[in-house]
Amino acid sequence: WPIPPKAADADPESFKVYHFEGLHREYRDKLEDQINACNVTSVKCEVVGDNIVFTLPADAEGGCFSPFALSWEPGAYDLTYEWNWGETYDGSTLYDAEGNVTTDRPQLPADQTDLAAGTEVAVDTTNSTACVYYTRDVYGNVNGKYTFSGWSAKTVADDPDDVESVAIDDGKLSMPSADVVVSGEWAYIVVAQQTYTVHYVYDNAPEGVETEYPLPVDDGAYVKNEPVAVSPTPAVGAEYEGYTFQGWKPIGDDVVVEDGAFAMPARDVWISGTWKADDDTPYTVEFYYEKNGSYSTEPDEKDERFGTTDSTVSVTEEDKTPDRAGYVFDEDAANVLSGTVASDGSLVLKVY
């Protein structure tokens, strides 16, 4: 029995064939009474291709069949909702525009079951294109956002080639003769992040120090809050020609170094390394006394003193007062009464 066109959407398991035994097909009078009076049996059948196939025993009267009828139930199909975040979504936490973790994560509409083909279904409108959810990197910076781009629908089939799109018009779809999946489509947009750099400078550095202690170079490009390790060189206490390195310190109160690192602010950072002049650099004061109208090339007395590297020091008034009787300070001699403390201790002041 060819499946009738109006049964094309029927549930294949619901087909039934009824045999009206003893009912003469030509008899038309009081048909209802005749039907009620005859024996009606259900005949086993199955769907084979586009046909309903069944077997009947021959009727005892002339080998003919009494009338029979075909019944069926409309197909029942399910409509389910799902999110389609695309391949970019890895299940990470989503945030709202203020940076709060979204506790009101978008909820899928309720699925619908046992829908007949042709049923008009209103697609959920809870989510709109105004819905936006943000992703953040491990440092708390926005690095992308999901925007809701609408719903799409398709049939469910074992063979991917048999899957078909289902049109959604004015927020509604007509149920086909198949289960349907309605997908909420989310588009991901990468948000470019501003990066910042780190620069090193010396403060109060002695001339030539970079030949032994070159300034560190940081080629990194850091995002806000990303940890940045401060260069370990030169080490605190490093020495160079009468100067001692005091360490590195970022310029600006918004940068705090803890355990040798700091969190990158939303700006470039300059880190200053301070060299301090040693205050125990030696220098010498020599005293010369005239003998027989001339001065010896070797000092008669000398005193080792200490000063700050590259600072100016001078002899004192007391130095100009001779320790020996009969002598006075010779203003016209080759006195060296002041000078700059050399890092190598070579400064010599002379008093005649």
Side-chain angles (χ1 to χ4, degrees):
W1 193 342
I3 296 176
K6 60 183 179 181
D9 296 328
D11 181 355
E13 301 295 326
S14 70
F15 282 109
K16 292 183 180 179
V17 173
Y18 295 98
H19 184 208
F20 297 85
E21 298 178 3
L23 178 65
H24 198 289
R25 68 180 67 239
E26 300 297 333
Y27 188 76
R28 296 289 182 265
D29 296 334
K30 297 181 180 181
L31 183 58
E32 183 176 353
D33 292 339
Q34 291 292 327
I35 293 175
N36 290 336
C38 74
N39 181 35
V40 182
T41 60
S42 177
V43 180
K44 182 179 180 181
C45 65
E46 62 178 338
V47 176
V48 179
D50 294 331
N51 298 289
I52 304 299
V53 177
F54 58 96
T55 302
L56 283 176
D59 204 329
E61 186 179 332
C64 64
F65 295 122
S66 298
F68 53 88
L70 178 67
S71 71
W72 62 87
E73 295 179 5
Y77 304 100
D78 298 334
L79 182 145
T80 57
Y81 287 91
E82 69 176 11
W83 292 132
N84 181 12
W85 294 93
E87 297 180 357
T88 56
Y89 186 59
D90 58 2
S92 57
T93 304
L94 297 178
Y95 301 82
D96 61 21
E98 287 71 39
N100 303 309
V101 175
T102 54
T103 55
D104 58 341
R105 189 70 65 85
Q107 298 296 312
L108 283 170
D111 298 336
Q112 299 184 50
T113 59
D114 297 329
L115 298 173
T119 302
E120 186 177 75
V121 180
V123 177
D124 178 80
T125 57
T126 302
N127 297 277
S128 71
T129 53
C131 292
V132 180
Y133 293 90
Y134 298 87
T135 59
R136 291 176 175 261
D137 62 17
V138 294
Y139 310 117
N141 304 299
V142 172
N143 59 2
K145 62 181 180 180
Y146 286 95
T147 57
F148 185 70
S149 56
W151 297 100
S152 66
K154 60 184 178 181
T155 59
V156 177
D158 293 334
D159 187 341
D161 293 336
D162 294 334
V163 173
E164 297 180 351
S165 297
V166 179
I168 299 176
D169 295 320
D170 296 328
K172 298 178 181 179
L173 63 80
S174 178
M175 201 68 186
S177 301
D179 293 335
V180 171
V181 173
V182 180
S183 298
E185 306 292 338
W186 292 86
Y188 186 70
I189 301 173
V190 175
V191 176
Q193 297 187 62
Q194 178 68 48
T195 58
Y196 307 95
T197 55
V198 174
H199 309 273
Y200 288 86
V201 294
Y202 278 143
D203 177 43
N204 195 42
E207 184 177 354
V209 69
E210 291 189 40
T211 58
E212 185 168 342
Y213 298 107
L215 277 170
V217 176
D218 191 330
D219 294 324
Y222 302 95
V223 297
K224 181 182 177 182
N225 297 327
E226 184 173 358
V228 180
V230 178
S231 173
T233 58
V236 175
E239 297 180 347
Y240 182 82
E241 296 187 358
Y243 285 77
T244 300
F245 188 64
Q246 304 299 299
W248 296 108
K249 182 179 180 181
I251 299 173
D253 295 336
D254 59 336
V255 181
V256 178
V257 177
E258 294 182 353
D259 297 326
F262 63 90
M264 194 72 186
R267 65 175 179 85
D268 294 338
V269 171
W270 275 260
I271 301 178
S272 177
T274 301
W275 290 89
K276 180 181 179 182
D278 297 340
D279 59 6
D280 58 353
T281 303
Y283 68 95
T284 303
V285 179
E286 296 179 344
F287 298 90
Y288 296 83
Y289 288 87
E290 182 185 55
K291 296 183 182 66
N292 300 321
S294 63
Y295 293 99
S296 171
T297 56
E298 295 296 326
D300 294 288
E301 298 174 4
K302 60 182 178 180
D303 185 17
E304 185 179 54
R305 300 179 183 179
F306 300 92
T308 301
T309 304
D310 288 336
S311 66
T312 300
V313 292
S314 303
V315 299
T316 65
E317 289 303 316
E318 184 179 355
D319 292 331
K320 297 178 184 179
T321 303
D323 290 336
R324 299 180 184 183
Y327 285 88
V328 295
F329 175 61
D330 186 354
E331 294 182 354
D332 297 324
N335 294 291
V336 180
L337 303 181
S338 64
T340 301
V341 178
S343 61
D344 60 359
S346 60
L347 173 65
V348 177
L349 302 183
K350 297 181 179 182
V351 181
Y352 290 85

